[in-house]
């Protein structure tokens, strides 16, 4: 889109430089305010091979731009729920309605899933469709800059640390300016300090870009630190749906966050509210 703006002004007299700059600024502003997608799930169910439902008649509305954390015991259906929402898997019953346009929906996993034989830059550009190769490379470079890895563009993935590889995976998910970003335990394999850095990065980029975020995590402290709202999934249903009203930027160790974390952990550990 950027390049097309520039192209429209090609050959214009020099006096129009200011006008061109204005148009470019407008494109950048538009680029920064990617509209998030809203989601409405109605009676959503999924079972595999006619077995017990993994997702069981789930109703849920997620407004555009909300940051939602999904927590729950292993095997309760969190990844299945993400796959249904992303359209990677078909529901057995019910539906997922996506509101707010046709911006891409992207997912990031615990493993970065990079192509070992492609440069860091090319690994990010893989997330893009359309445009010329030069445009794709330019957008990939800007996504890499966003995650603080501009200087690693020409390296091989094998030369990066685990945290850096996850940042490449994040850049690849973000390069297409998704309206929905799903994160399936993205930081689960990282050490504690790297994880805290990445949490701050994800929050910063979410605030700047405005996509809807859906984060599955087993780290309840991470959920309360990042999310506007926490869903506890149990036996394929939403057992608890709590808003996190603490304002941002949030301070680690905030007593309200700690109290909420305790409440959710209690729920997970003994099944009581
Ligand atoms: N493709 C599949 N085929 C059969 N069973 C599956 C499949 N995907 C998930 N399941 C089952 O669904 C349940 C929920 O899995 P999952 O959504 O991955 O849980 P979570 O992400 O919460 O740990 C598990 O019992 C799992 O074995
Ligand atoms: Mg899972």
């Amino acid at each position: 889109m950027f390049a097309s703006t520039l192209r429209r002004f090609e050959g214009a007299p020099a006096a129009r430089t200011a006008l061109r700059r204005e148009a470019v600024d407008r494109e950048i502003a538009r680029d920064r305010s990617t509209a998030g997608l809203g989601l409405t799930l109605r009676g959503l169910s999924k079972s595999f091979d006619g077995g017990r439902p993994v997702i069981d008649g789930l109703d849920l509305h997620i407004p555009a731009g909300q940051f939602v954390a999904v927590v729950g015991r292993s095997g309760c259906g969190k990844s299945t729920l993400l796959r249904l929402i992303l359209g990677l898997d078909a529901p057995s019953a019910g539906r997922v309605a996506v509101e707010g346009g046709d911006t891409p929906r992207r997912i990031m996993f615990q493993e970065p899933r990079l192509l070992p034989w492609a440069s860091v830059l090319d690994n990010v550009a893989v997330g893009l469709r359309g445009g010329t190769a030069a445009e794709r490379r330019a957008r990939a470079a800007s996504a890499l800059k966003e995650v603080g890895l501009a200087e690693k563009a020409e390296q091989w993935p094998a030369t990066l640390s685990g945290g850096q590889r996850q940042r490449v995976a994040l850049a690849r998910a973000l390069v297409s300016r998704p309206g929905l970003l799903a994160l399936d335990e993205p930081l689960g394999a990282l050490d504690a300090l790297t994880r805290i850095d990445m949490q701050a990065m994800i929050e910063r980029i979410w605030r700047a870009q405005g996509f809807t975020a859906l984060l599955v995590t087993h780290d309840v402290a991470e959920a309360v630190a990042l999310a506007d709202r926490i869903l506890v999934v149990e036996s394929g249903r939403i057992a608890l749906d709590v808003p996190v009203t603490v304002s941002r930027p949030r301070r680690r160790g905030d007593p309200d966050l700690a109290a909420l974390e305790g409440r959710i952990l209690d729920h997970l550990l003994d099944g009581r509210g």
Side-chain angles (χ1 to χ4, degrees):
M1 57 183 99
F2 216 11
S4 66
T5 303
L6 290 174
R7 221 177 294 121
R8 275 204 300 281
F9 285 94
E10 257 163 26
R16 293 201 182 156
T17 303
L19 196 59
R20 176 169 66 185
R21 172 143 316 131
E22 248 173 58
V24 169
D25 286 347
R26 259 201 312 280
E27 292 281 5
I28 291 173
R30 193 177 307 153
D31 232 32
R32 281 204 186 117
S33 56
T34 311
L37 295 172
L39 297 167
T40 303
L41 282 48
R42 286 278 169 262
L44 193 71
S45 295
K46 178 71 181 178
S47 43
F48 294 99
D49 310 319
R52 198 175 56 80
V54 170
I55 298 295
D56 193 6
L58 205 141
D59 291 310
L60 177 67
H61 176 69
I62 297 177
Q66 195 167 54
F67 198 127
V68 178
V70 179
V71 300
R73 285 176 176 272
S74 184
C76 72
K78 303 179 297 295
S79 295
T80 303
L81 179 63
L82 285 197
R83 293 181 58 81
L84 292 172
I85 288 174
L86 270 280
L88 299 172
D89 222 343
S92 309
R95 64 193 194 93
V96 176
V98 180
E99 303 125 26
D102 57 0
T103 51
R105 288 173 267 173
R106 290 284 182 264
I107 189 163
M108 178 180 161
F109 301 97
Q110 183 164 330
E111 331 78 58
R113 304 186 182 192
L114 303 179
L115 304 168
W117 40 263
S119 71
V120 163
L121 187 77
D122 287 340
N123 265 283
V124 175
V126 157
L128 282 172
R129 303 278 174 278
T132 65
E135 283 166 353
R136 286 198 298 272
R137 287 175 68 82
R139 290 186 63 182
S142 124
L144 270 178
K145 196 169 161 215
E146 192 116 55
V147 301
L149 288 179
E151 79 288 1
K152 302 287 186 189
E154 300 308 328
Q155 306 233 2
W156 301 113
T159 65
L160 304 183
S161 70
Q164 289 171 334
R165 281 178 217 167
Q166 272 307 62
R167 277 148 68 191
V168 176
L170 179 62
R172 181 185 55 197
L174 291 170
V175 71
S176 60
R177 290 293 170 145
L180 171 69
L181 178 64
L183 304 137
D184 196 350
E185 309 206 17
L187 313 182
L190 304 177
D191 67 87
L193 290 178
T194 306
R195 199 182 313 159
I196 289 171
D197 285 346
M198 284 274 305
Q199 288 167 358
M201 175 174 285
I202 289 169
E203 184 184 34
R204 173 179 60 73
I205 296 173
W206 166 74
R207 291 183 74 171
Q209 296 193 5
F211 51 79
T212 306
L214 211 45
L215 169 72
V216 168
T217 178
H218 53 237
D219 181 348
V220 180
E222 178 171 295
V224 300
L226 292 180
D228 295 322
R229 175 186 185 186
I230 299 180
L231 305 175
V232 178
V233 176
E234 228 171 69
S235 317
R237 290 170 177 267
I238 290 161
L240 198 64
D241 181 348
V242 277
V244 187
T245 52
V246 177
S247 60
R248 301 174 194 267
R250 293 178 181 162
R251 198 171 48 81
R252 270 170 197 281
D254 180 293
D256 290 337
L257 291 180
L260 182 59
E261 182 184 342
R263 184 178 154 208
I264 291 168
L265 276 173
D266 282 348
H267 191 103
L268 288 170
L269 290 171
D270 64 18
R272 284 181 270 117

